[in-house]
Amino acid sequence: MTDLVLLRDRVGAPRRQRSIFVASRPSPRVPAGDSPVILDLSRLLSRALHATPTGIDRVEMAYARELARLIPDRLSHAAILPVGPHARLDRDATADFLAETEARWTAGDAASAPSRGLRLALKGCLAARPGLAEREASSRPAAYLHLSPRGLERKSLYEAVLRRRNARLVTLVHDLIPLEHPEFARPGGTAAFERKLATVTALSSGVLTNSQATARALAPHLARAGNRAPVRVAPLGVPRTTADGRPPVGAAPYFVVLSTIEPRKNHMLLLHLWRRMAETRPPAAVPRLVLVGRRGWENENILDLLDRAPALKGCVVEHGRMPDSEMRRLLAGATALLCPSFAEGYGLSVAEALEAGVPVIASDIPALREVGGDVAEYLDPLDGPAWARAVDDYAEAGSPRRARQMTRLGGWRPTLWSEHMQIALGLIDEVTR
């Protein structure tokens, strides 16, 4: 792979030479390419019945919205259907499906079946033309943009799609955690991920990653496959948000965790910390811990604490699903976001908190440092006493430690989706020339 220069990132990291990838600031305009762009929506279609999104769901939605705004005449959609073959999706039905999905995320109709509008939009998408369809009518190859691992284990299918559509595959790799930390994967998850990654390394003409940490992890796999495709680091965008009214938890200090409940996220450390506080202090002296995220896998010990530890009742609040509007309100009033993860490809919750003006206490791992820069506080995810001291310090009325981070936060700037898309479209333009 060609040696390239890693540019200074937005948190002021020193210049480093002979990197194998580029983390670039976008140019002030979108590249004026004329290649068709086919956006794969397999992930969003597969999760049509879910009322609240994951981080990858949000990424796929952001691409759908931004590309429709920036390159409407070049954009089409395709997917491996939840039941059935690969297909081109109807434009109008896809637009309705995306609008209905976003509305559900915002309103959080979590307990009910999909709305009638969503059912109709989904039906329209599934009525799309099956098969590989015709070649694109363009003087340049198309870019087939795949943003999630969904379906990538079907290498032969994508080979046929790319050949028939005269397309170059551009993938977005979020992390390599199932390979780097197989202990955190579902049973069989590492083997399945290896098959997906084999498709990425064999077929990609260009690769986007969400962080420098992910790009470094990916590099040896591309090299072993003999793939010299350009790799571009494009940090994920964070939409500008405002809180909707007063925080819902009240005036007492509370801390928020935004993540699926799974061992990799290290909820266990926080639950033991809160149990110790609840057992040794009067109730009024224990801040609340609010967990927002569905329950994941391989979680027996964590769920036992949540369900059966009497000391946690009243001081730990769990929200398996929460609409975006309520989540923004909750986050805005938090004393701090806690992110004690053992491994991440990107720190989306860190970015969301800092954009909302909320302090962050996070694990000292590279992906989170990329996002939080010099603003967030970083602690060893195994150092329970350090986390206990940080929680106590931040919960203190008029906390000097929290105030210092609030001062630093004034210099933090999020990546916007428009900036991310300029990097992505630049890569698309490069690989379809």
Side-chain angles (χ1 to χ4, degrees), residues 171-212:
T171 50
L172 173 57
V173 177
H174 296 266
D175 62 69
L176 282 82
I177 291 171
L179 294 185
E180 296 181 303
H181 298 278
E183 68 275 18
F184 295 136
R186 299 172 188 256
T190 297
F193 185 84
E194 287 175 338
R195 294 193 295 273
K196 296 173 187 290
L197 185 61
T199 300
V200 171
T201 58
L203 302 184
S204 294
S205 296
V207 181
L208 295 159
T209 69
N210 52 9
S211 67
Q212 300 165 14

Side-chain angles (χ1 to χ4, degrees), residues 294-349:
R294 65 185 179 86
R295 293 186 174 193
W297 50 89
E298 302 294 307
N299 259 341
E300 182 179 357
N301 292 337
I302 298 172
L303 301 185
D304 283 346
L305 277 171
L306 285 171
D307 294 337
R308 297 163 54 187
L312 298 182
K313 305 300 181 184
C315 63
V316 175
V317 181
E318 181 185 1
H319 293 280
R321 293 187 176 98
M322 178 175 282
D324 286 358
S325 56
E326 188 175 342
M327 187 272 288
R328 288 193 295 268
R329 210 158 47 97
L330 175 75
L331 185 60
T335 302
L337 176 93
L338 304 180
C339 186
S341 297
F342 289 117
E344 294 287 349
Y346 189 77
L348 186 57
S349 65

Side-chain angles (χ1 to χ4, degrees), residues 25 74 87 110 187 230 260 262 280 288 290 294 344 362 371 376 390:
R25 267 293 181 210
R74 295 164 53 191
T260 301
E262 56 176 297
T280 58
R288 286 193 184 183
V290 184
R294 65 185 179 86
E344 294 287 349
V371 177

Side-chain angles (χ1 to χ4, degrees), residues 310-432:
L312 298 182
K313 305 300 181 184
C315 63
V316 175
V317 181
E318 181 185 1
H319 293 280
R321 293 187 176 98
M322 178 175 282
D324 286 358
S325 56
E326 188 175 342
M327 187 272 288
R328 288 193 295 268
R329 210 158 47 97
L330 175 75
L331 185 60
T335 302
L337 176 93
L338 304 180
C339 186
S341 297
F342 289 117
E344 294 287 349
Y346 189 77
L348 186 57
S349 65
V350 171
E352 289 173 337
L354 294 178
E355 195 281 329
V358 176
V360 171
I361 306 171
S363 288
D364 192 1
I365 57 177
L368 298 186
R369 277 193 173 271
E370 282 188 50
V371 177
D374 296 328
V375 175
E377 288 211 38
Y378 304 99
L379 302 174
D380 187 323
L382 294 174
D383 191 347
W387 284 86
R389 288 191 296 273
V391 167
D392 280 341
D393 288 347
Y394 273 68
E396 177 187 348
S399 166
R401 187 170 176 179
R402 186 178 188 274
R404 289 193 293 272
Q405 183 170 165
M406 291 298 293
T407 299
R408 298 195 300 271
L409 212 160
W412 187 84
R413 187 178 74 81
T415 298
L416 303 179
W417 274 117
S418 58
E419 296 172 317
H420 176 105
M421 294 309 305
Q422 288 175 18
I423 298 173
L425 286 171
L427 179 60
I428 288 170
D429 191 52
E430 179 179 351
V431 303
T432 57

